[in-house]
Amino acid sequence: MTSFVKPLFAAATLLAASPAFAEAEKYVLDSSHSQIIFSYNHIGFSTTYGMFSGFEGEIMFDAEDAAKSSVTVSMPVASMFTGWEQRDGHFMSDDFFGASGEDLVTFTSTSIEVTGDNTANITGDLAMNGMTKPVVLAATLNKIGQHPMAGKAWAGFDATTTVKRSDFGLGAFAPAVSDEVEIQISIEAMKAE
């Protein structure tokens, strides 16, 4: 078994298990310790930040063949928070998402390429605003082990990617307001019961 099949990946990010597992193991995201931070350049004057929360999702990790692992994640568009109520409202308007409380951002992995002992590229379909595009997450396994309070297997991951908002019909005010949006993801996942 190669060195990458210790604990490893699959997630809007990655995931892990031990070589003793012969089949895919299910992990669920810990919504209270998972978030996406996004940033973009605002007319050259500043970098503006926001975040999404309210994740739901699962990771199926195959320790025998990490490439067969998978991840699905969803979060409500309305969970976006930028720190300024008027901006939040503008993003939910027809200039951008035109979002209702039911609209979701989703990510579904399509392949995983292991790139190191604790890194992988996770390719998947990102869907938002009624459009779906492929993206690649550069993911890192931060830690895997027994959670000291939950008493079960736990894993933590970080990932980054850059997307063009115009690819998702969200290109208002580009290029003055950057079309490219940098995304940082940090998640925790717990082994399912």
Side-chain angles (χ1 to χ4, degrees), residues 67-155:
K68 292 182 180 176
S69 299
S70 65
V71 58
T72 57
V73 178
S74 67
M75 71 210 79
V77 173
S79 76
M80 181 190 299
F81 173 77
T82 68
W84 193 48
E85 189 175 341
Q86 291 92 328
R87 183 183 300 118
D88 294 346
H90 191 200
F91 282 158
M92 295 304 118
S93 77
D94 289 341
D95 278 349
F96 294 99
F97 284 98
S100 73
E102 304 299 315
D103 294 334
L104 298 175
V105 175
T106 65
F107 176 82
T108 304
S109 65
T110 55
S111 68
I112 298 172
E113 174 194 7
V114 175
T115 57
D117 287 345
N118 66 340
T119 59
N121 288 332
I122 301 173
T123 300
D125 292 328
L126 178 63
M128 63 178 154
N129 202 37
M131 300 180 183
T132 302
K133 300 286 181 180
V135 299
V136 178
L137 305 178
T140 301
L141 171 64
N142 296 325
K143 180 178 179 178
I144 186 159
Q146 195 78 355
H147 191 287
M149 292 172 276
K152 62 172 70 172
W154 215 267

Coordinates of all heavy atoms in Angstrom, one line a residue, residues 67-155:
A67 N -8.5 7.3 -4.9 CA -9.1 7.9 -6.1 C -10.6 7.5 -6.2 O -11.3 8.2 -6.9 CB -8.4 7.4 -7.4
K68 N -11.0 6.5 -5.5 CA -12.4 6.1 -5.5 C -13.2 6.8 -4.4 O -14.4 6.6 -4.2 CB -12.6 4.6 -5.3 CG -12.1 3.9 -6.6 CD -12.3 2.4 -6.4 CE -11.8 1.6 -7.6 NZ -11.9 0.2 -7.5
S69 N -12.6 7.7 -3.6 CA -13.2 8.4 -2.5 C -14.1 9.5 -3.2 O -14.0 9.8 -4.4 CB -12.2 9.0 -1.6 OG -11.4 8.0 -1.0
S70 N -15.0 10.1 -2.4 CA -15.9 11.1 -2.9 C -16.3 12.1 -1.8 O -16.2 11.8 -0.6 CB -17.1 10.5 -3.6 OG -17.9 9.8 -2.6
V71 N -16.8 13.2 -2.2 CA -17.3 14.2 -1.3 C -18.5 15.0 -1.9 O -18.4 15.2 -3.1 CB -16.2 15.2 -0.8 CG1 -15.6 15.9 -2.0 CG2 -16.7 16.2 0.2
T72 N -19.5 15.2 -1.1 CA -20.6 16.1 -1.5 C -20.8 17.1 -0.4 O -20.8 16.7 0.8 CB -21.9 15.3 -1.8 OG1 -22.2 14.6 -0.6 CG2 -21.7 14.4 -3.0
V73 N -21.0 18.4 -0.8 CA -21.1 19.4 0.2 C -22.2 20.4 -0.3 O -22.2 20.7 -1.5 CB -19.8 20.2 0.4 CG1 -20.0 21.4 1.4 CG2 -18.7 19.3 0.9
S74 N -23.0 20.9 0.5 CA -23.9 22.0 0.2 C -24.0 23.0 1.3 O -23.8 22.7 2.5 CB -25.3 21.4 -0.2 OG -25.9 20.9 1.0
M75 N -24.4 24.2 0.9 CA -24.6 25.3 1.9 C -25.6 26.3 1.3 O -25.6 26.5 0.1 CB -23.3 26.0 2.3 CG -22.7 26.9 1.2 SD -20.9 27.0 1.3 CE -20.5 25.4 0.5
P76 N -26.4 26.9 2.1 CA -27.3 27.9 1.6 C -26.7 29.2 1.2 O -25.8 29.7 1.9 CB -28.3 28.1 2.8 CG -27.6 27.6 4.0 CD -26.5 26.6 3.6
V77 N -27.1 29.7 0.0 CA -26.5 31.0 -0.4 C -26.8 32.0 0.6 O -25.9 32.9 0.9 CB -27.2 31.4 -1.8 CG1 -26.8 32.8 -2.2 CG2 -26.8 30.4 -2.9
A78 N -27.9 32.0 1.3 CA -28.3 33.0 2.3 C -27.4 32.9 3.5 O -27.5 33.9 4.4 CB -29.8 32.8 2.7
S79 N -26.5 31.9 3.7 CA -25.6 31.9 4.8 C -24.4 32.8 4.6 O -23.6 33.0 5.5 CB -25.1 30.5 5.1 OG -24.1 30.1 4.1
M80 N -24.3 33.4 3.4 CA -23.2 34.3 3.1 C -23.2 35.5 4.1 O -24.3 36.1 4.4 CB -23.3 34.9 1.7 CG -22.2 35.8 1.3 SD -22.4 36.7 -0.2 CE -22.5 35.3 -1.4
F81 N -22.0 35.8 4.6 CA -21.9 37.0 5.5 C -20.7 37.8 5.1 O -19.6 37.2 5.0 CB -21.7 36.4 7.0 CG -21.4 37.5 8.0 CD1 -22.4 38.3 8.4 CD2 -20.1 37.6 8.5 CE1 -22.1 39.3 9.4 CE2 -19.9 38.6 9.4 CZ -20.9 39.5 9.8
T82 N -20.8 39.1 5.0 CA -19.7 39.9 4.6 C -19.3 40.9 5.6 O -18.3 41.6 5.5 CB -20.0 40.7 3.3 OG1 -21.0 41.6 3.5 CG2 -20.3 39.7 2.2
G83 N -20.1 41.0 6.7 CA -19.8 42.0 7.7 C -20.5 43.3 7.5 O -20.4 44.3 8.3
W84 N -21.2 43.5 6.4 CA -21.9 44.7 6.1 C -23.3 44.4 5.5 O -23.4 43.8 4.5 CB -21.1 45.6 5.2 CG -21.6 47.0 5.1 CD1 -22.0 47.9 6.1 CD2 -21.9 47.7 3.8 NE1 -22.4 49.1 5.6 CE2 -22.3 49.0 4.2 CE3 -21.8 47.4 2.5 CZ2 -22.7 50.0 3.3 CZ3 -22.1 48.4 1.6 CH2 -22.5 49.7 2.0
E85 N -24.3 44.7 6.3 CA -25.7 44.2 5.9 C -26.1 44.7 4.5 O -26.7 43.9 3.8 CB -26.7 44.7 7.0 CG -28.1 44.2 6.8 CD -29.0 44.6 7.9 OE1 -28.5 45.1 9.0 OE2 -30.2 44.5 7.7
Q86 N -25.8 45.9 4.1 CA -26.2 46.4 2.8 C -25.5 45.5 1.7 O -26.1 45.3 0.6 CB -25.8 47.8 2.6 CG -26.7 48.8 3.5 CD -26.1 49.1 4.8 OE1 -25.4 48.2 5.4 NE2 -26.4 50.2 5.4
R87 N -24.2 45.2 1.9 CA -23.5 44.3 0.9 C -24.2 43.0 0.8 O -24.3 42.4 -0.3 CB -22.0 44.2 1.2 CG -21.3 43.4 0.2 CD -19.8 43.2 0.5 NE -19.1 44.5 0.7 CZ -18.5 44.9 1.8 NH1 -18.6 44.2 2.9 NH2 -18.0 46.1 1.9
D88 N -24.5 42.4 2.0 CA -25.1 41.1 2.0 C -26.4 41.1 1.2 O -26.7 40.3 0.3 CB -25.5 40.6 3.4 CG -24.2 40.3 4.2 OD1 -23.1 40.2 3.7 OD2 -24.4 40.2 5.5
G89 N -27.2 42.2 1.4 CA -28.5 42.4 0.7 C -28.2 42.5 -0.8 O -29.0 42.0 -1.7
H90 N -27.2 43.3 -1.2 CA -26.8 43.5 -2.6 C -26.5 42.2 -3.3 O -26.9 41.9 -4.4 CB -25.7 44.5 -2.8 CG -25.5 45.0 -4.2 ND1 -24.3 45.5 -4.6 CD2 -26.3 44.9 -5.3 CE1 -24.4 45.8 -5.9 NE2 -25.6 45.4 -6.3
F91 N -25.7 41.3 -2.6 CA -25.3 40.0 -3.1 C -26.5 39.1 -3.3 O -26.5 38.3 -4.3 CB -24.3 39.3 -2.3 CG -22.9 39.8 -2.4 CD1 -22.0 39.6 -1.4 CD2 -22.5 40.5 -3.6 CE1 -20.7 40.1 -1.5 CE2 -21.2 41.0 -3.7 CZ -20.3 40.8 -2.7
M92 N -27.6 39.3 -2.5 CA -28.8 38.5 -2.7 C -29.7 39.0 -3.7 O -30.7 38.4 -4.1 CB -29.5 38.3 -1.3 CG -28.7 37.6 -0.3 SD -28.2 35.9 -0.8 CE -26.4 36.1 -0.6
S93 N -29.4 40.3 -4.2 CA -30.3 40.9 -5.2 C -30.1 40.4 -6.6 O -29.2 39.5 -6.8 CB -30.0 42.4 -5.2 OG -28.8 42.7 -5.9
D94 N -30.9 40.9 -7.5 CA -30.8 40.4 -8.9 C -29.5 40.8 -9.6 O -29.1 40.3 -10.6 CB -32.0 40.9 -9.7 CG -33.3 40.2 -9.4 OD1 -33.2 39.1 -8.8 OD2 -34.4 40.8 -9.6
D95 N -28.7 41.8 -9.0 CA -27.4 42.1 -9.6 C -26.5 40.8 -9.5 O -25.6 40.7 -10.3 CB -26.7 43.2 -8.8 CG -27.2 44.6 -9.2 OD1 -27.9 44.7 -10.3 OD2 -26.9 45.6 -8.5
F96 N -26.7 40.0 -8.5 CA -25.9 38.8 -8.3 C -26.7 37.5 -8.2 O -27.1 37.0 -9.2 CB -25.0 39.0 -7.0 CG -24.0 40.2 -7.2 CD1 -24.3 41.4 -6.7 CD2 -22.8 40.0 -7.9 CE1 -23.4 42.5 -6.8 CE2 -21.9 41.0 -8.0 CZ -22.2 42.3 -7.5
F97 N -27.0 37.1 -7.0 CA -27.6 35.7 -6.9 C -29.1 35.8 -7.1 O -29.7 34.7 -7.5 CB -27.4 35.2 -5.5 CG -26.0 34.6 -5.3 CD1 -25.0 35.4 -4.7 CD2 -25.7 33.3 -5.8 CE1 -23.7 34.9 -4.5 CE2 -24.4 32.8 -5.6 CZ -23.4 33.6 -5.0
G98 N -29.8 36.9 -6.8 CA -31.3 36.9 -6.9 C -31.8 35.7 -6.1 O -32.7 35.0 -6.5
A99 N -31.2 35.6 -4.9 CA -31.4 34.3 -4.1 C -32.6 34.3 -3.2 O -33.0 35.3 -2.6 CB -30.1 34.1 -3.2
S100 N -33.2 33.2 -3.1 CA -34.2 32.9 -2.1 C -33.6 32.1 -1.0 O -32.5 31.6 -1.1 CB -35.4 32.1 -2.8 OG -35.0 30.8 -3.0
G101 N -34.4 31.9 0.1 CA -33.9 31.1 1.2 C -33.6 29.6 0.8 O -32.9 28.9 1.6
E102 N -34.0 29.2 -0.3 CA -33.9 27.8 -0.7 C -32.6 27.5 -1.6 O -32.2 26.4 -1.8 CB -35.1 27.3 -1.4 CG -36.4 27.4 -0.7 CD -36.4 26.7 0.6 OE1 -36.0 25.5 0.6 OE2 -36.8 27.3 1.7
D103 N -32.0 28.6 -2.1 CA -30.9 28.4 -3.0 C -29.7 27.9 -2.3 O -29.3 28.3 -1.2 CB -30.6 29.7 -3.7 CG -31.7 30.2 -4.6 OD1 -32.5 29.3 -5.1 OD2 -31.9 31.4 -4.9
L104 N -29.0 27.0 -3.0 CA -27.8 26.3 -2.4 C -26.6 26.5 -3.3 O -26.7 26.7 -4.5 CB -28.0 24.8 -2.3 CG -29.1 24.4 -1.3 CD1 -29.3 22.8 -1.4 CD2 -28.9 24.8 0.1
V105 N -25.4 26.5 -2.7 CA -24.1 26.3 -3.4 C -23.8 24.8 -3.1 O -23.8 24.4 -2.0 CB -23.0 27.2 -2.9 CG1 -21.7 26.9 -3.5 CG2 -23.4 28.7 -3.1
T106 N -23.4 24.1 -4.1 CA -23.0 22.7 -3.9 C -21.7 22.4 -4.6 O -21.3 23.0 -5.6 CB -24.1 21.7 -4.5 OG1 -24.2 21.9 -5.9 CG2 -25.5 22.0 -3.9
F107 N -21.0 21.4 -4.1 CA -19.8 20.9 -4.6 C -19.9 19.3 -4.6 O -20.2 18.8 -3.6 CB -18.5 21.3 -3.9 CG -17.3 20.7 -4.4 CD1 -16.6 21.3 -5.5 CD2 -16.7 19.6 -3.8 CE1 -15.5 20.7 -6.0 CE2 -15.5 19.0 -4.3 CZ -14.9 19.6 -5.4
T108 N -19.6 18.7 -5.7 CA -19.6 17.2 -5.8 C -18.3 16.8 -6.5 O -18.1 17.2 -7.7 CB -20.8 16.7 -6.7 OG1 -22.0 17.2 -6.1 CG2 -20.9 15.2 -6.7
S109 N -17.5 16.1 -5.8 CA -16.2 15.7 -6.4 C -16.4 14.7 -7.6 O -17.4 13.9 -7.6 CB -15.4 15.0 -5.3 OG -15.9 13.8 -4.9
T110 N -15.5 14.8 -8.5 CA -15.5 13.9 -9.7 C -14.2 13.1 -9.8 O -14.2 12.0 -10.4 CB -15.7 14.7 -11.0 OG1 -14.7 15.7 -11.1 CG2 -17.1 15.3 -11.0
S111 N -13.2 13.6 -9.2 CA -11.9 12.8 -9.1 C -11.0 13.4 -8.0 O -11.1 14.5 -7.6 CB -11.2 12.8 -10.5 OG -10.7 14.1 -10.8
I112 N -10.1 12.5 -7.6 CA -9.1 12.9 -6.6 C -7.7 12.5 -7.1 O -7.5 11.3 -7.4 CB -9.4 12.3 -5.2 CG1 -10.7 12.8 -4.7 CG2 -8.2 12.6 -4.2 CD1 -11.2 12.1 -3.4
E113 N -6.8 13.4 -7.1 CA -5.4 13.1 -7.5 C -4.5 13.4 -6.3 O -4.4 14.5 -5.8 CB -4.9 14.0 -8.6 CG -3.5 13.8 -9.0 CD -2.9 14.9 -9.9 OE1 -3.7 15.9 -10.2 OE2 -1.8 14.8 -10.3
V114 N -3.9 12.3 -5.7 CA -3.1 12.4 -4.6 C -1.7 13.0 -5.1 O -1.1 12.6 -6.0 CB -2.8 11.1 -3.9 CG1 -1.8 11.2 -2.8 CG2 -4.2 10.5 -3.4
T115 N -1.3 14.1 -4.4 CA -0.1 14.8 -4.8 C 1.1 14.7 -3.8 O 2.2 15.2 -4.1 CB -0.4 16.3 -5.1 OG1 -1.0 16.9 -3.9 CG2 -1.4 16.4 -6.3
G116 N 0.8 14.2 -2.6 CA 1.8 14.1 -1.6 C 1.3 13.3 -0.4 O 0.2 12.8 -0.4
D117 N 2.1 13.2 0.7 CA 1.7 12.4 1.8 C 0.4 13.0 2.5 O -0.3 12.2 3.1 CB 2.8 12.4 2.9 CG 3.9 11.4 2.4 OD1 3.7 10.6 1.5 OD2 5.0 11.5 3.0
N118 N 0.2 14.3 2.4 CA -1.0 14.9 3.0 C -1.6 15.9 2.1 O -2.3 16.8 2.6 CB -0.6 15.5 4.4 CG 0.3 16.7 4.2 OD1 1.0 16.9 3.2 ND2 0.4 17.5 5.3
T119 N -1.4 15.8 0.8 CA -2.0 16.8 -0.1 C -2.7 16.0 -1.3 O -2.3 14.9 -1.6 CB -1.0 17.7 -0.7 OG1 0.1 17.0 -1.4 CG2 -0.4 18.6 0.4
A120 N -3.7 16.7 -1.9 CA -4.4 16.1 -3.0 C -5.0 17.2 -3.8 O -5.3 18.3 -3.2 CB -5.4 15.1 -2.6
N121 N -5.3 17.0 -5.1 CA -6.1 17.9 -5.9 C -7.5 17.2 -6.0 O -7.5 16.1 -6.5 CB -5.5 18.1 -7.3 CG -4.3 19.0 -7.2 OD1 -4.2 19.9 -6.3 ND2 -3.4 18.8 -8.1
I122 N -8.5 17.9 -5.6 CA -9.9 17.3 -5.6 C -10.6 18.1 -6.7 O -10.8 19.3 -6.6 CB -10.6 17.5 -4.3 CG1 -9.8 16.7 -3.2 CG2 -12.0 16.9 -4.4 CD1 -10.4 17.0 -1.8
T123 N -10.9 17.4 -7.8 CA -11.7 18.0 -8.9 C -13.2 17.7 -8.7 O -13.5 16.6 -8.3 CB -11.2 17.5 -10.2 OG1 -9.8 17.8 -10.4 CG2 -12.0 18.1 -11.4
G124 N -14.0 18.7 -8.9 CA -15.4 18.5 -8.8 C -16.2 19.6 -9.5 O -15.7 20.5 -10.0
D125 N -17.5 19.4 -9.4 CA -18.5 20.3 -10.0 C -19.0 21.2 -8.9 O -19.6 20.8 -8.0 CB -19.7 19.5 -10.6 CG -19.2 18.7 -11.8 OD1 -18.3 19.1 -12.5 OD2 -19.8 17.6 -12.1
L126 N -18.8 22.5 -9.2 CA -19.3 23.6 -8.3 C -20.5 24.2 -8.9 O -20.5 24.6 -10.1 CB -18.2 24.7 -8.1 CG -18.7 25.9 -7.2 CD1 -19.0 25.5 -5.8 CD2 -17.6 27.0 -7.3
A127 N -21.6 24.1 -8.2 CA -22.9 24.6 -8.8 C -23.4 25.8 -7.9 O -23.5 25.7 -6.7 CB -23.9 23.5 -8.8
M128 N -23.7 26.9 -8.5 CA -24.3 28.0 -7.9 C -25.0 28.9 -8.9 O -24.6 28.9 -10.1 CB -23.4 28.8 -7.0 CG -22.2 29.5 -7.7 SD -21.2 30.4 -6.4 CE -19.7 30.4 -7.3
N129 N -26.0 29.6 -8.5 CA -26.7 30.6 -9.3 C -27.2 29.9 -10.6 O -27.2 30.5 -11.7 CB -25.8 31.8 -9.7 CG -26.5 33.0 -10.1 OD1 -27.6 33.3 -9.6 ND2 -26.0 33.7 -11.1
G130 N -27.6 28.6 -10.5 CA -28.1 27.9 -11.7 C -27.1 27.4 -12.7 O -27.5 27.0 -13.8
M131 N -25.8 27.5 -12.4 CA -24.7 27.1 -13.3 C -23.8 26.2 -12.6 O -23.6 26.3 -11.4 CB -24.0 28.3 -13.8 CG -24.9 29.3 -14.6 SD -23.9 30.7 -15.2 CE -25.3 31.7 -15.9
T132 N -23.2 25.3 -13.4 CA -22.3 24.3 -12.8 C -21.0 24.3 -13.7 O -21.0 24.3 -14.9 CB -22.9 22.9 -12.9 OG1 -24.1 22.9 -12.2 CG2 -21.9 21.8 -12.3
K133 N -19.8 24.4 -13.0 CA -18.5 24.5 -13.6 C -17.6 23.6 -12.8 O -17.7 23.5 -11.6 CB -18.0 25.9 -13.6 CG -18.8 26.9 -14.4 CD -18.8 26.7 -15.9 CE -19.6 27.7 -16.6 NZ -19.6 27.6 -18.0
P134 N -16.6 23.0 -13.5 CA -15.6 22.2 -12.8 C -14.6 23.2 -12.1 O -14.2 24.2 -12.6 CB -14.9 21.5 -13.9 CG -15.1 22.3 -15.1 CD -16.4 23.0 -15.0
V135 N -14.1 22.8 -10.9 CA -13.1 23.5 -10.1 C -12.2 22.4 -9.5 O -12.5 21.3 -9.4 CB -13.7 24.4 -9.0 CG1 -14.6 25.4 -9.6 CG2 -14.4 23.5 -8.0
V136 N -10.9 22.9 -9.2 CA -10.0 22.0 -8.6 C -9.6 22.6 -7.2 O -9.2 23.8 -7.2 CB -8.7 21.8 -9.4 CG1 -7.7 21.0 -8.7 CG2 -9.0 21.2 -10.8
L137 N -9.7 21.9 -6.2 CA -9.4 22.3 -4.8 C -8.0 21.7 -4.5 O -7.8 20.5 -4.6 CB -10.3 21.8 -3.8 CG -11.8 22.1 -4.0 CD1 -12.6 21.4 -2.9 CD2 -12.0 23.6 -4.0
A138 N -7.0 22.6 -4.2 CA -5.7 22.1 -3.7 C -5.9 21.9 -2.2 O -6.0 22.9 -1.4 CB -4.7 23.2 -3.9
A139 N -5.9 20.7 -1.8 CA -6.3 20.3 -0.4 C -5.2 19.7 0.4 O -4.2 19.1 -0.1 CB -7.4 19.3 -0.5
T140 N -5.2 20.0 1.7 CA -4.2 19.5 2.7 C -4.9 18.9 3.9 O -5.8 19.5 4.4 CB -3.3 20.7 3.2 OG1 -2.7 21.3 2.0 CG2 -2.3 20.3 4.1
L141 N -4.4 17.7 4.3 CA -4.9 17.1 5.5 C -4.2 17.8 6.6 O -2.9 17.7 6.7 CB -4.6 15.6 5.5 CG -4.8 14.8 6.8 CD1 -6.3 14.9 7.2 CD2 -4.3 13.4 6.6
N142 N -4.9 18.4 7.6 CA -4.3 19.1 8.7 C -4.0 18.1 9.8 O -2.9 18.1 10.4 CB -5.2 20.2 9.3 CG -5.4 21.3 8.3 OD1 -4.5 21.6 7.5 ND2 -6.6 21.8 8.3
K143 N -4.9 17.3 10.2 CA -4.8 16.3 11.3 C -5.9 15.3 11.2 O -7.0 15.6 10.8 CB -4.9 17.1 12.6 CG -4.8 16.3 13.8 CD -4.9 17.1 15.1 CE -4.8 16.2 16.3 NZ -4.8 17.0 17.6
I144 N -5.5 14.1 11.6 CA -6.5 13.0 11.8 C -6.3 12.3 13.1 O -5.1 12.2 13.5 CB -6.5 12.1 10.6 CG1 -7.7 11.1 10.7 CG2 -5.2 11.4 10.5 CD1 -8.1 10.4 9.5
G145 N -7.3 12.0 13.8 CA -7.1 11.3 15.1 C -8.4 11.2 15.8 O -9.5 11.6 15.4
Q146 N -8.3 10.8 17.1 CA -9.4 10.7 18.0 C -9.8 12.1 18.5 O -8.9 12.8 19.0 CB -9.1 9.8 19.1 CG -10.3 9.3 19.9 CD -11.1 8.2 19.2 OE1 -10.8 7.8 18.1 NE2 -12.1 7.7 19.9
H147 N -11.0 12.5 18.4 CA -11.4 13.8 18.9 C -11.5 13.7 20.4 O -12.1 12.8 21.0 CB -12.8 14.2 18.3 CG -13.2 15.6 18.6 ND1 -13.6 16.0 19.9 CD2 -13.3 16.7 17.8 CE1 -13.9 17.3 19.8 NE2 -13.7 17.7 18.6
P148 N -10.8 14.6 21.2 CA -10.7 14.5 22.6 C -12.0 14.6 23.3 O -12.2 14.0 24.4 CB -9.8 15.6 23.0 CG -9.8 16.6 21.9 CD -10.1 15.8 20.7
M149 N -13.0 15.3 22.8 CA -14.3 15.4 23.4 C -15.4 14.5 22.9 O -16.2 13.9 23.6 CB -14.8 16.8 23.4 CG -13.9 17.8 24.2 SD -14.3 19.5 24.0 CE -13.3 19.9 22.6
A150 N -15.3 14.3 21.5 CA -16.4 13.4 20.9 C -16.1 12.0 21.0 O -17.0 11.1 20.9 CB -16.5 13.8 19.4
G151 N -14.8 11.6 21.2 CA -14.4 10.2 21.4 C -14.6 9.4 20.1 O -14.9 8.2 20.2
K152 N -14.4 10.0 19.0 CA -14.5 9.3 17.7 C -13.5 9.8 16.7 O -12.9 10.9 17.0 CB -15.9 9.3 17.1 CG -16.4 10.7 16.8 CD -17.7 10.7 16.0 CE -18.9 10.3 16.9 NZ -20.2 10.4 16.3
A153 N -13.3 9.1 15.6 CA -12.4 9.5 14.6 C -12.8 10.8 14.0 O -14.0 11.1 13.7 CB -12.3 8.4 13.5
W154 N -11.8 11.7 13.8 CA -12.0 13.1 13.4 C -10.9 13.5 12.4 O -9.8 13.0 12.5 CB -12.0 14.0 14.6 CG -12.9 15.1 14.5 CD1 -12.7 16.4 14.1 CD2 -14.3 15.2 15.0 NE1 -13.8 17.2 14.3 CE2 -14.8 16.5 14.9 CE3 -15.1 14.2 15.6 CZ2 -16.1 16.8 15.2 CZ3 -16.4 14.6 16.0 CH2 -16.8 15.9 15.8
A155 N -11.3 14.4 11.5 CA -10.2 14.8 10.5 C -10.5 16.3 10.2 O -11.6 16.8 10.3 CB -10.3 14.0 9.2

